[in-house]
Amino acid sequence: MTGWDLLLRIVVLLAVAAFTGLILRRLGQNVVVGYLLAGLLLGPTGIGFVRAGEDVRILSELGVALLLFSIGLEFSFARLRRLGRVAVVGGTFQMALTAVTVYGVCSAIGVPRPPAIALGLAFAMSSTAVVLRELTDRAQLDSAYGRNAIGILLFQDVAVIPILILTDALAQKVETEALLLEIALRAALVIVFIVGAWVIARYLLPRIFVDAALSGSRELPVVLAVCTSFGAAWAAHSLGFSPSLGAFGAGIVLAESPFATQIRADVTPLSAVFVTLFFASVGTAAQLPLSATYIGTIFLCAVAIIIGKTLITSLGVWSIQRSLRNALVTGVIVSQVGEFTFVISETAYRSGIMSEELFQAAMAISLITLMATPFLIGFAPAMSTRLMRRVPHKARTAMEGDQRPKNWKRVIVIGFGPAGRAVVHGLVAKDIPLIILEMNPSTVAENRVEFPIELGDASQTEVLQHIGVGASYGVVVTVPDPNACRLIVEAVQRLAPGVPILARARYHQYAGQIRKAGADHVIDEEQIVGLHLAGEAIEIAMARQAKGLS
């Protein structure tokens, strides 16, 4: 294939992806599904115009690297540390139990041991690119379940390193001592990469970006941002681990710099093109025989994977946070199998561990779960709430632990971010009794000595009863996620209809929904910002007028 032939295929793939995405958007569906369908139509299953070659795959991986680089710019080391417990404990539990379960099922139906192990490891992975894209579009990155999902996904990305080593070892029949030595060597290389990236991003890149900004050129900062992202991805790939994880790490380091906002704005349009190519190329990887029996079997396997991973992940998260709803939503969000499933399966296929039939089945199952992911993430909060209502009250109480109501007269502040802290400090200044309800375990641990704060999901009836919502002076909901805010307001209104509810609407379009859910007072952030800006503008104009008249 010549370079011009590759260019033609990329242009056609992007054009069809844009067309199918537009159709899906007009039908009220997610554009990602349209991109996947474009790859399926143009790939081996469709007309066969595009095949998932090495060149297309590399370009699509660059898109994922840019996406994770821009998302990393929204994080910081402090914010990343708060993901720790759920990421490590929940991620380990989810991956280990999923891999063992898949291995057990494969062995039971006659799949040999090496490919059964490879399939278990592959299906334990979820899609970082799809989930982060969906959570970002829905403004749910800051939600409790969004943070949980991000932590688990990042843990999975790190775990790709030993998984790929183990997959190669299965083909080469490497001894345990040599396997452990290679894993230790890769771990050392990761540490070297992290330290090197931190030194460069902390001391070298800020100076370069300052010079680029002072030059007055709009192109130079964009070029530098892309070079940083692609350079980190290349360095990570050279050291033998995930390129996208390397780009994400570079973004996190630069998140502390004053250039983070502008860099993110510069790379986002470019990453949108590459990420579209990534999703479309995923569709070309699957080769579905036109057989109703085969497609039906693949569909049932995909459903089983989604249900199984949802239950396993939910159990792991619930064991840490003791919130059924939050655990269920997190489980649904990471229930798909993702881009690293392709990498692990392809490695196993090329090394001779996995047959072509198993490889294509794994690709088809992955594609179906990815196409279902946008819908699942969209419906997950409401679905989990409805499921929770079907659980008997005694059973829910037992699952949530000992949560006996405390009928104290006080204000309940839900959420302890910047807005919640401002509310708490104002109440403390007036000596008004209060209690804080927060979903982040680290935040609770850090502030437990100074403030009355408890860990819990405020959308759960038992949690609200535990803190005595019915006898409280009022409830202040400060969580930034509009969907979570609405669910909390509904829960409070349903349990304690006479208690005043003051809620935060981060975006104007959600203010009406939150008010309709039962909030007595809704603070519309965009409207308040507009009023303050108008006030400042009026003062400036009047001052200039007075100066002119005098």
Side-chain angles (χ1 to χ4, degrees):
M1 180 189 298
T2 66
W4 291 109
D5 290 333
L6 173 63
L7 179 62
L8 175 63
R9 282 163 171 74
I10 290 175
V11 170
V12 172
L13 187 60
L14 286 173
V16 176
F19 179 72
T20 53
L22 179 61
I23 292 176
L24 267 294
R25 175 62 76 183
R26 288 189 174 181
L27 293 175
Q29 307 302 323
N30 194 279
V31 293
V32 172
V33 178
Y35 301 157
L36 294 170
L37 283 175
L40 199 61
L41 291 172
L42 295 176
T45 301
I47 64 175
F49 181 76
V50 178
R51 295 186 179 274
E54 186 72 16
D55 296 328
V56 175
R57 185 172 65 85
I58 290 175
L59 287 174
S60 64
E61 285 183 357
L62 291 178
V64 178
L66 274 175
L67 173 66
L68 292 184
F69 176 70
S70 61
I71 291 175
L73 290 168
E74 299 181 7
F75 279 77
S76 63
F77 285 112
R79 185 176 177 185
L80 197 62
R81 281 195 298 268
R82 291 198 291 269
L83 303 175
R85 193 179 175 196
V86 171
V88 176
V89 179
T92 301
F93 182 87
Q94 178 267 320
M95 292 191 68
L97 195 53
T98 301
V100 169
T101 302
V102 173
Y103 169 78
V105 173
C106 290
S107 299
I109 61 177
V111 178
R113 184 178 181 183
I117 294 175
L119 284 172
L121 296 173
F123 286 152
M125 306 300 295
S126 304
S127 177
T128 304
V130 175
V131 171
L132 287 181
R133 171 69 179 271
E134 286 299 304
L135 291 177
T136 302
D137 290 346
R138 298 174 186 276
Q140 294 177 351
L141 279 175
D142 285 328
S143 64
Y145 48 81
R147 292 194 298 264
N148 290 343
I150 292 169
I152 292 173
L153 290 169
L154 293 179
F155 179 83
Q156 289 180 357
D157 287 350
V158 174
V160 167
I161 305 168
I163 286 176
L164 289 176
I165 295 172
L166 179 59
T167 305
D168 289 333
L170 288 173
Q172 301 171 10
K173 298 181 180 179
V174 177
E175 295 183 356
T176 305
E177 293 80 5
L179 179 62
L180 293 176
L181 180 61
E182 186 173 358
I183 291 176
L185 178 61
R186 292 287 183 90
L189 289 175
V190 171
I191 295 174
V192 170
F193 171 80
I194 293 174
V195 173
W198 183 83
V199 171
I200 293 173
R202 181 69 180 270
Y203 297 104
L204 179 60
L205 288 180
R207 297 181 181 180
I208 297 176
F209 275 106
V210 167
D211 292 339
L214 293 176
S215 70
S217 171
R218 282 292 299 121
E219 294 83 4
L220 283 178
V222 178
V223 173
L224 284 174
V226 173
C227 287
T228 302
S229 174
F230 288 172
W234 172 84
H237 174 73
S238 300
L239 293 176
F241 59 100
S242 165
S244 57
L245 188 62
F248 182 80
I252 289 177
V253 175
L254 281 175
E256 305 286 350
S257 74
F259 306 100
T261 301
Q262 187 58 51
I263 295 172
R264 185 167 58 251
D266 290 334
V267 302
T268 296
L270 185 61
S271 68
V273 177
F274 280 104
V275 169
T276 300
L277 181 62
F278 164 75
F279 289 124
S281 67
V282 166
T284 66
Q287 190 169 348
L288 297 175
L290 297 178
S291 164
T293 302
Y294 181 84
I295 294 177
T297 303
I298 293 297
F299 180 79
L300 290 176
C301 290
V303 172
I305 288 290
I306 290 173
I307 294 175
K309 291 187 73 172
T310 297
L311 295 176
I312 290 171
T313 307
S314 299
L315 181 60
V317 174
W318 174 81
S319 67
I320 300 170
Q321 293 186 338
R322 288 296 191 272
S323 169
L324 284 175
R325 178 183 175 274
N326 184 52
L328 286 171
V329 177
T330 305
V332 172
I333 289 175
V334 299
S335 62
Q336 74 291 130
V337 288
E339 53 272 8
F340 285 119
T341 301
F342 298 104
V343 177
I344 297 168
S345 300
E346 188 176 19
T347 301
Y349 171 61
R350 290 182 176 179
S351 61
I353 297 174
M354 192 181 297
S355 66
E356 183 176 0
E357 182 181 6
L358 279 177
F359 173 68
Q360 289 299 335
M363 296 298 96
I365 291 171
S366 302
L367 182 62
I368 292 174
T369 63
L370 286 174
M371 293 179 70
T373 297
F375 303 103
L376 292 173
I377 293 179
F379 296 141
M383 282 193 302
S384 62
T385 300
R386 286 196 293 267
L387 286 173
M388 286 297 301
R389 290 173 183 172
R390 295 179 179 273
V391 178
H393 175 75
K394 290 185 178 180
R396 277 184 290 172
T397 303
M399 291 177 185
E400 296 287 343
D402 182 17
Q403 297 185 352
R404 291 167 293 182
K406 298 177 181 179
N407 295 320
W408 299 342
K409 285 287 185 180
R410 53 193 178 181
V411 175
I412 299 172
V413 180
I414 299 174
F416 201 52
R421 290 177 185 273
V423 173
V424 168
H425 286 301
L427 293 172
V428 169
K430 297 296 183 180
D431 292 326
I432 297 175
L434 62 93
I435 184 170
I436 307 161
L437 199 58
E438 168 62 39
M439 274 299 303
N440 192 317
S442 300
T443 302
V444 174
E446 292 169 2
N447 295 278
R448 181 164 283 169
V449 175
E450 186 177 0
F451 299 106
I453 183 170
E454 294 192 13
L455 179 70
D457 182 356
S459 66
Q460 292 292 327
T461 299
E462 289 78 10
V463 175
L464 293 173
Q465 287 178 332
H466 169 72
I467 60 174
V469 65
S472 63
Y473 290 133
V475 178
V476 184
V477 186
T478 71
V479 294
D481 178 28
N483 293 317
C485 181
R486 178 178 54 80
L487 290 171
I488 292 170
V489 170
E490 288 178 349
V492 174
Q493 174 67 18
R494 188 168 55 248
L495 187 63
V499 173
I501 303 173
L502 177 63
R504 164 191 183 184
R506 190 172 187 180
Y507 304 105
H508 175 72
Q509 61 179 325
Y510 296 106
Q513 298 178 14
I514 296 172
R515 190 175 289 107
K516 187 177 179 181
D520 298 285
H521 306 279
V522 177
I523 306 302
D524 188 332
E525 290 189 26
E526 291 185 323
Q527 191 177 56
I528 290 177
V529 169
L531 290 173
H532 278 286
L533 289 174
E536 293 291 335
I538 290 170
E539 288 186 12
I540 292 173
M542 292 180 67
R544 296 297 295 268
Q545 286 178 349
K547 186 176 181 181
L549 291 174
S550 61

